[in-house]
Amino acid sequence: MHVTLSVWQALLIAIWVALVESRILGFATLTMRFSPLMTGMMVGIIMGDLKSAMIVTAAIQLVYMGFVAPGGALPAEPAIATAIAVPVALLGHMSPQGAIAIAVPVGLLGSYLYQFRFFLNTFALKPMDKFAAEGNARGLRLSIMGIPTIISFLLFIPLIFIALYFGAPVISGVVSNITHGTVIHVLNSVGGGLAALGIAVIMQVIGKQKLLPFFFLAYFMSVAFAKLQINMTIYAIFGTIFAILYVMFTSNRASDKA
Amino acid sequence: MHVTLSVWQALLIAIWVALVESRILGFATLTMRFSPLMTGMMVGIIMGDLKSAMIVTAAIQLVYMGFVAPGGALPAEPAIATAIAVPVALLGHMSPQGAIAIAVPVGLLGSYLYQFRFFLNTFALKPMDKFAAEGNARGLRLSIMGIPTIISFLLFIPLIFIALYFGAPVISGVVSNITHGTVIHVLNSVGGGLAALGIAVIMQVIGKQKLLPFFFLAYFMSVAFAKLQINMTIYAIFGTIFAILYVMFTSNRASDKA
Amino acid sequence: MHVTLSVWQALLIAIWVALVESRILGFATLTMRFSPLMTGMMVGIIMGDLKSAMIVTAAIQLVYMGFVAPGGALPAEPAIATAIAVPVALLGHMSPQGAIAIAVPVGLLGSYLYQFRFFLNTFALKPMDKFAAEGNARGLRLSIMGIPTIISFLLFIPLIFIALYFGAPVISGVVSNITHGTVIHVLNSVGGGLAALGIAVIMQVIGKQKLLPFFFLAYFMSVAFAKLQINMTIYAIFGTIFAILYVMFTSNRASDKA
Amino acid sequence: MSEINQAAQSDVESQTDEPKRIPQPDKITNKDLMKSWFGWWWANEVNHTFDRMLAPAFCFGLIPALKKLYKDHDELAKAFQRHLLFFNTQATWGGGTLTGVTISLEEARAKAMANGEQPISEDMINNTKVGLMGPLAGIGDSIDSGTVQYIFIAIFLPFAQKGNFLGALLPFLCFAIATFTYGYYFTKLGYSLGRAAAKEIMTGGRMAGIIDGLGVLGLYMMGILAGQYINIKSYFKFTINDKTFDIQQILNTILPGILPLTAVLLLYLYFQKQGLKITRGLLYLTGALILLSIFYII
Amino acid sequence: MSEINQAAQSDVESQTDEPKRIPQPDKITNKDLMKSWFGWWWANEVNHTFDRMLAPAFCFGLIPALKKLYKDHDELAKAFQRHLLFFNTQATWGGGTLTGVTISLEEARAKAMANGEQPISEDMINNTKVGLMGPLAGIGDSIDSGTVQYIFIAIFLPFAQKGNFLGALLPFLCFAIATFTYGYYFTKLGYSLGRAAAKEIMTGGRMAGIIDGLGVLGLYMMGILAGQYINIKSYFKFTINDKTFDIQQILNTILPGILPLTAVLLLYLYFQKQGLKITRGLLYLTGALILLSIFYII
Amino acid sequence: MSEINQAAQSDVESQTDEPKRIPQPDKITNKDLMKSWFGWWWANEVNHTFDRMLAPAFCFGLIPALKKLYKDHDELAKAFQRHLLFFNTQATWGGGTLTGVTISLEEARAKAMANGEQPISEDMINNTKVGLMGPLAGIGDSIDSGTVQYIFIAIFLPFAQKGNFLGALLPFLCFAIATFTYGYYFTKLGYSLGRAAAKEIMTGGRMAGIIDGLGVLGLYMMGILAGQYINIKSYFKFTINDKTFDIQQILNTILPGILPLTAVLLLYLYFQKQGLKITRGLLYLTGALILLSIFYII
Ligand SMILES: OC[C@H]1O[C@H](O)[C@@H](O)[C@@H](O)[C@@H]1O
Ligand SMILES: OC[C@H]1O[C@H](O)[C@@H](O)[C@@H](O)[C@@H]1O
Ligand SMILES: OC[C@H]1O[C@H](O)[C@@H](O)[C@@H](O)[C@@H]1O
């Protein structure tokens, strides 16, 4: 593991990761993010050993097979894991199994980074709201696409670059330091609580105070039945049924023909 | 096991089984079907060794003690099991335990046969509907009682006769062949799906489209709460409560005195 | 364990227990009843060895740490346990652990005694209702406070006195005799069933027959969802939501502004 | 094809305000109740099918009563038809009681039609049956099959163990006699309860509300039955290079219970568009089930 | 026998439109609230029974306030009676708050009666208590008994372990003072919240709706309490030739929870027919429970 | 600070009966749908945040369509604003469909405003989005991410295992092309379904009922999302002389789910009183969360 990447190699890989994790390449980046394959391929090209890179990557793929991220949380960030693990494996002539051992903790840390990105993105919201209020479409577009992309680049490129350039030992130290610390706890807590804002906004916008009982009904159904893990679609169906019954019972057309 | 039954003995037993499984002797046949006792007695009489037959049968009874069949499915068909196991036991001078070993798989196969009968009975429905539409009471009676009985006789008599006449080894071969095969799978699937028809018909007949939300409410309650195994009567009580509330909320007599 | 308490010591301790268990000292007696500490202190004073008594009591406290009694049932009666166990320990020069061994079964029996008190208290209800119907405040006060106090004194003083005066062996014999017998079963059954009366009375008093479906809805929700152990407050919220919706659906002001 | 789609039409008719005039019905006697109870008892599970369950037996039992009530040929045919639809309950507690209840409601309907009054509608009769059959089945199975039957068996088992044939005969006889007797009692009870209810309904002027309420109950119970009786699930799994895709599992994350519901709704829509062509529905459904299950798609 | 079945009658009266005229009530002062809070605090679990729970203590606490409010002897008696019915809650969070709320509602009622206006009905007062007592009990038990109490005990435990009596005295004193203080605060809070609510109710002209709504909540909570507090199950099992029949298990397949419900409904019907004869109900119920449990039927 | 509290005001305006007159909108073409679909597809998770989720991308996609519909500057700004509020769904099944549906509803709104008719209200547009986004997300995640993606990966994995880069490129390309294609199809489908619905709504004269119904559904889904997405719990535990007090456990005995609910309700009340000052709300909330979590209170 005494051989390292050149500055350019490390930088190119870091840029690739930033492209994937910023999601700036459109929805289909999803599969670049969920799967190590494309990242492995890029690393292989950059390092000039496509074949070995693909073999190692295929082994990593098996670990992340079947991951899904409803609501945003992916249990690990395979692309980041791969961007770190494959170079290390190639340089150190490690077996695919060795690469997996590096990939797993890095993937975990990557998942925290990705969620940190959600948090940093909130800084883009203020200008966005301003442009929207002004009806300024150009500004709106820029604030939606530009700022978050810059944020992601500033977040991922230096980190990945440093990690690659100074090697794996540094990373694993950082990983274990951070994942047990207060930083992650605060991040988790803020992430866990911020959804409250969006929901409160929507409630305000719907604006019918007299219908609030249905909010509480739903909230406490979801709390009381938590153990049953009832599917979201079923809840939506219940919601629809309640909506229909509400309309039935408050209108006076109840005795019409079927 | 080299001694076999005479043709007449085998035939008489087969007819008895057909009588029981066709249910043509009225509701009380239920206990002949659920319990091996009466079948064991008949086999004993036919084979001329009532005492030994009863002893073997009593042992078989213990296995099937407490079986119930809500909605039609009995996990095994004790009468059929007994009709096969007792002769084999008597002829081979086996212990009651040996007889049980034969009875269990045969009872299982019997349960499939009984469900296959439900399926064959659907052929009786077409003439039945025709006679009903014509107001022809005689034809109606015949189609309800006659056709299914003939079907059961054609189904059970040959099968049981062959099984008894050619001996137990044949049976166990057949049992294991069939229970794992596609035939049983198709039978199960058709059986599992056909109830949809009856339910759709009733929904159509009730005919109040505006009340369909209650159908969906019930359906998804039963799906969402499946793990709680809520009793049918409790659901019926919920249904009644919803019905009362519906009438309350859609009529305008709500503010009357209690 | 051959040294025993003097008559006066036994009597004083018995009176203390009666004061605590009758609850005549007001709500704060609760913590005297739930915790052995105050009782241990009193026993120490009465026996003239406050220090040892406190040490033994502190050990007993650890056993009963965290007990709560929603709806009346405490799994053990720590005050009674302490009143018996501490003297025995002091006289026999036992270790705190030995004292715990005595305290646990006595505490259990004490819990039955306390529930028996609920039962005996029903005798105070008749005069109480009479005074209330007459608008007689004095009589009402007396029947509420006086009779139950006398009942508790008559129940606890002799029992505790005898137990203390004739020693621990007697007690443990009695304990095991009673807890497995029919007496306890009957007591439990009566205790378990009597709440039906109070509930039926309230239902009668609320008096709106047309609203009874909500009683049944709640009852069968609580039965059907028993496994989910849904919190009482959540049920109260559901009840409130149903109440609001009921008013919405039966009034004709539904289409008003939010 | 002579399908019973008149059922759907008659339904419409029963809601219009001009009821048809029919001849006066004969009086229903205890003997008639016994005949009907015996008919149901006898035919009980003979023509058991997956899609009608025990309806044929229920209709079979009612035949003598219906013949006395509907002297009008068309109304008789319609009555036959409406009692051949999906019906399942336990024999004594459910079937006995509902035989009685149904006869009383049919009687009230026939009388009202004869007198030119607004009759109890077919809906009301159907929904009453449908709403009660489930819970009564639960009660009856638990008591008759689960308890009474095994009490008799347990009592006489020692005879059998000693080789005495009374150990077989007595449990059967006791069960047969006991259930026949109280089943008949339930029939009479159902009849008198039903009469009282019918009178109450017809004079109370709250018919519309009650029909709606029964409709709610009926549809609700159908939803529950659909959730519990219909058993369609996908067995389709495929494995590509060691990664397995399990269709039923995927369906569960989308909407649990989607397949049985789809089956019911497709049939419902078919009947909605094409009229109540039950036999055709049966053929299509069976065909589809066989086809799908042969390839292990379900 | 002098039973309190007037409660039922007064209920009817409170719904007619001609409220009775009574003398003007005295003003409720902070001192009165303290007296009532102290009364409830003192009597709290003294007369605890299975069928009234803590109602006697609640009434005990209210006596001074009610005497100032109802100068009319009959109304006073009725007020006593209505606060002796089944009531259970935790002492401070529940009892404090509800003492305050109840006094404010009784005051509004008394004033309205004195002024010949439509008063707040007994129903509304009852249902408010009944609807709030359960959740407040949960909160209070969790905080007072489960947390506050044990915090004090844990803090001072080392004293006790060293043999110092302060380890006993201090937890008791701290708990007593803390709970007494905030309980009184809850009483005053309840009183002012109740006053605001009462004003809102009486001027809003939505009394009927609110009474109905509270009735829904009250009956709903009774259903929940019935499901959770009443514990009647059958212990009756019998074994015939090794086959065991367990009655409770059979009842569960028929309708879980059937026994507690039956008990409540029988009593309800008894009161419905015979008037609110509570003492008799108690006697019959206790007798039945003893009889059934002696033979291990329940 | 320029906050978007006009949203709340515009809401009020949309319910008054005097709709504002605006210029006639341009016709929406297939090309516009493609532009919007591509915009959403491209921006999809770029500006992902915890409190708006994917709303920015949704708005980004709609920009070209909204510019054709709202020639009035104010209305355009308001349209931008309303599509920047909390929104989360899966890209193709959810986002495609809802992009189409939303454009159709906005078109109907813009046309009605131009013609001086009663327009579809903002509420209706919001509630439709909010009601559908959850279930469509479930369906889409399960199918696209959970199944389609892994089918392609599984098929081509052996290439990768042999070191062939096609094992990486092909799964990506297949997934990208397939999802882009059917996502566009869903957009068109959503648009035509939405048009039909909009026509039905505007001519049926049942607008008020439908708005209310959608409000019920919207608030109901918000309740469910609040229960499932917001994750605030107390980590505060303290131990006094070996006895541990766990705040979350105590809160659970009082009212499970109390913390997330409190957060939502505080924000709701804040907006209720101060207008819809989202950025401030965000600052306060983040500040509070950081403060509380640094001390491990949550
Ligand atoms: O669950 C819907 C949606 O939630 C978040 O926005 C992301 O995780 C998406 O990938 C996902 O499709
Ligand atoms: O469950 C009710 C009923 O269902 C089916 O029809 C059969 O299994 C009967 O034996 C049973 O009584
Ligand atoms: O649960 C509320 C209440 O119930 C009973 O009355 C007693 O156990 C009290 O100590 C408790 O506070």
Side-chain angles (χ1 to χ4, degrees), chain B residues 112-190:
Chain B
Y112 286 114
L113 271 187
Y114 194 77
Q115 286 181 58
F116 190 46
R117 182 178 88 89
F118 294 171
F119 181 65
L120 295 177
N121 277 347
T122 45
F123 293 117
L125 299 182
K126 216 179 140 72
M128 177 183 86
D129 285 340
K130 199 181 120 270
F131 289 127
E134 293 167 1
N136 177 345
R138 233 184 86 86
L140 189 55
R141 277 196 180 105
L142 245 149
S143 61
I144 292 173
M145 296 295 267
I147 309 180
T149 308
I150 293 169
I151 288 173
S152 283
F153 276 57
L154 293 179
L155 175 65
F156 288 102
I157 296 183
L159 277 173
I160 302 294
F161 177 81
I162 290 167
L164 284 169
Y165 199 68
F166 297 100
V170 181
I171 302 156
S172 57
V174 171
V175 170
S176 68
N177 264 347
I178 289 186
T179 47
H180 298 102
T182 297
V183 176
I184 291 294
H185 173 73
V186 171
L187 219 66
N188 277 341
S189 297
V190 173

Side-chain angles (χ1 to χ4, degrees), chain D residues 142-157:
Chain D
S142 176
I143 295 180
D144 277 22
S145 311
T147 310
V148 173
Q149 173 182 212
Y150 287 108
I151 287 182
F152 290 132
I153 290 176
I155 290 176
F156 298 109
L157 193 63

Side-chain angles (χ1 to χ4, degrees), chain B residues 30 69-72, chain D residues 45 48 54 88-90 137 141:
Chain B
L30 180 130
Chain D
E45 298 196 48
H48 198 166
L54 309 187
N88 188 42
T89 197
Q90 190 269 344
D141 283 345

Side-chain angles (χ1 to χ4, degrees), chain C residues 23-24 27 31-32 66-67 117-118 121 129 134 182 185 192 197-198 204-206 209 218-219 222 235-236 243 247, chain E residues 41-42 44-46 48 51-52 56 73 85 91 126-127 135 141 149-150 172 209 213 220 227 231 257 272 293 296 298:
Chain C
R23 308 297 298 268
I24 190 62
F27 164 63
T31 195
M32 295 182 178
F67 273 33
R117 183 178 87 89
F118 294 170
N121 278 347
D129 286 340
E134 292 167 1
T182 298
H185 174 73
L197 184 69
Q204 194 59 40
V205 169
I206 294 179
Q209 280 192 48
Y219 184 76
S222 111
Y235 277 129
V247 174
Chain E
W41 182 92
W42 185 30
N44 183 40
E45 297 195 49
V46 171
H48 198 166
D51 61 316
R52 306 283 176 99
H73 188 82
L85 301 177
N126 282 325
N127 288 336
D141 283 345
Q149 172 182 213
Y150 287 108
F172 170 70
Y220 186 86
N231 183 12
Q272 190 81 351
S293 62
Y296 285 85
I298 58 168

Side-chain angles (χ1 to χ4, degrees), chain C residues 30 34 69-73, chain E residues 45 48 53-54 88-91 137 141 145 229:
Chain C
L30 180 130
F34 283 39
Chain E
E45 297 195 49
H48 198 166
M53 300 300 276
L54 309 187
N88 188 43
T89 197
Q90 189 268 345
D141 283 345
S145 311
Y229 278 14

Side-chain angles (χ1 to χ4, degrees), chain A residues 23 27 30 33-34 68-74 114 118, chain F residues 40 44-45 48-49 53-54 87-92 133-134 136-138 140-142 144-145 229:
Chain A
R23 308 296 299 267
F27 164 64
L30 179 130
R33 202 191 126 214
F34 283 40
V68 196
L74 199 63
Y114 194 78
F118 294 171
Chain F
W40 155 256
N44 183 38
E45 298 195 50
H48 198 165
T49 59
M53 301 299 277
L54 308 187
F87 177 79
N88 189 43
T89 197
Q90 189 269 345
T92 58
M133 69 190 196
L136 290 175
D141 283 344
S142 176
D144 276 24
S145 310
Y229 278 15

Side-chain angles (χ1 to χ4, degrees), chain D residues 238 240-241 243 245 250 253-254, chain F residues 139 142 147 150-151 154-155 158:
Chain D
F238 56 90
I240 306 180
N241 295 313
K243 163 88 183 148
F245 297 86
I250 294 169
T253 70
I254 294 175
Chain F
I139 294 173
S142 176
T147 309
Y150 287 107
I151 286 181
I155 289 176

Side-chain angles (χ1 to χ4, degrees), chain E residues 139 142-143 146-147 150-151 154-155 157-158, chain F residues 238 240-241 243 245 247 249-251 253-254:
Chain E
I139 295 172
S142 177
I143 295 179
T147 310
Y150 287 108
I151 286 181
I155 290 177
L157 194 62
Chain F
F238 55 91
I240 306 180
N241 295 314
K243 163 88 185 149
F245 297 86
I247 298 302
Q249 211 168 293
I250 294 169
L251 290 176
T253 69
I254 294 174

